[in-house]
Structures are given as structure tokens and as C-alpha cells.
Amino acid sequence: EVQLVESGGGLVQPGGSLRLSCLASGFPFEDWGMKWARQAPGKGLEWVAGISSHSTRTYYPDSVKGRFTISRDNAKNTLYLQLDSLRTDDTAMYYCVKSDTRITGIDTRDPRGQGTQVTVSS
């Protein structure tokens, strides 16, 4: 059974940083692309970063490019998302997603974790 457990969320001031982590289990982590998505209150799920299985390729939408950095440690079965220069509109629940379909974009068939809340507020 695929299990994805996110951590690292919290309350941060605008301009601040956070590092999210996702511990994966139940599948060969090193064989799969992974991604992060988020959902703000009252909005749909939004893709924010993707990474290939051995970190050779990373992808970001324009809304976060240059501020967010996705990475992974296959030896630790862990996915990361570094959030820098945070803005109030980055407030959302952030989800770790296994890319069963593709590394970019949203596909509801992709398994995801329970999420970790990021709140950006002064």
C-alpha cells in the first residue's frame, strides 16, 4: 500500500521560508517520479513542483518558479519542497503526490498523502 506522510508545515511570515518533507513507503520510491501539489481554501488542487525518479529533471509552474525547490533523497525514501520568499497567496494545504501518470500537472488518479498546512501571515 502506498503511504505518503508529509511534515514541516506551519505558520510563517511573508518573505519567510519553510522546508516540507514527505516520507514514502509501500512502493519502490527510486523508480517513480514525484510531485507536490497544494490546495488553498475554496480553490482546486494546484500542481507546484515535479521531479524525475533520479532527480535529473525538475519542473515548476510560473507561479512558484524561482521560489520553490523540489528535491529528493532516494536512500531515505524522502521527497522535499523548499519554500522561499513565501507570500500570503501561498497559504494552502500541501500534498506529496506519487506520479503514477505524469510528473507535471494534476491527475486525481495519482496517490497523495494527507497533507501539511502552510499558512503565510503577518
Side-chain angles (χ1 to χ4, degrees):
E1 178 188 0
V2 172
Q3 289 198 329
L4 301 165
V5 181
E6 303 94 337
S7 61
L11 174 64
V12 63
Q13 292 187 337
S17 297
L18 280 175
R19 189 192 197 201
L20 308 183
S21 299
C22 170
L23 181 61
S25 61
F27 65 101
F29 181 72
E30 67 276 10
D31 290 344
W32 291 91
M34 297 291 294
K35 53 192 175 184
W36 288 93
R38 68 184 180 186
Q39 188 165 23
K43 296 188 177 181
L45 201 59
E46 177 190 14
W47 165 70
V48 295
I51 188 167
S52 60
S53 59
H54 293 281
S55 306
T56 52
R57 294 167 290 156
T58 58
Y59 305 91
Y60 307 93
D62 289 343
S63 58
V64 307
K65 195 174 293 182
R67 300 189 301 119
F68 291 6
T69 304
I70 189 171
S71 62
R72 64 192 295 164
D73 185 337
N74 286 348
K76 296 182 178 179
N77 280 11
T78 302
L79 180 72
Y80 303 101
L81 186 66
Q82 177 70 36
L83 313 175
D84 295 317
S85 303
L86 282 162
R87 310 185 305 217
T88 55
D89 61 358
D90 293 318
T91 294
M93 185 72 78
Y94 284 72
Y95 297 94
C96 171
V97 185
K98 177 178 177 280
S99 297
D100 279 2
T101 56
R102 52 183 177 143
I103 295 174
T104 61
I106 294 297
D107 192 310
T108 56
R109 294 171 292 178
D110 292 334
R112 65 178 189 257
Q114 293 299 305
T116 186
Q117 178 68 38
V118 172
T119 302
V120 185
S121 174
S122 55

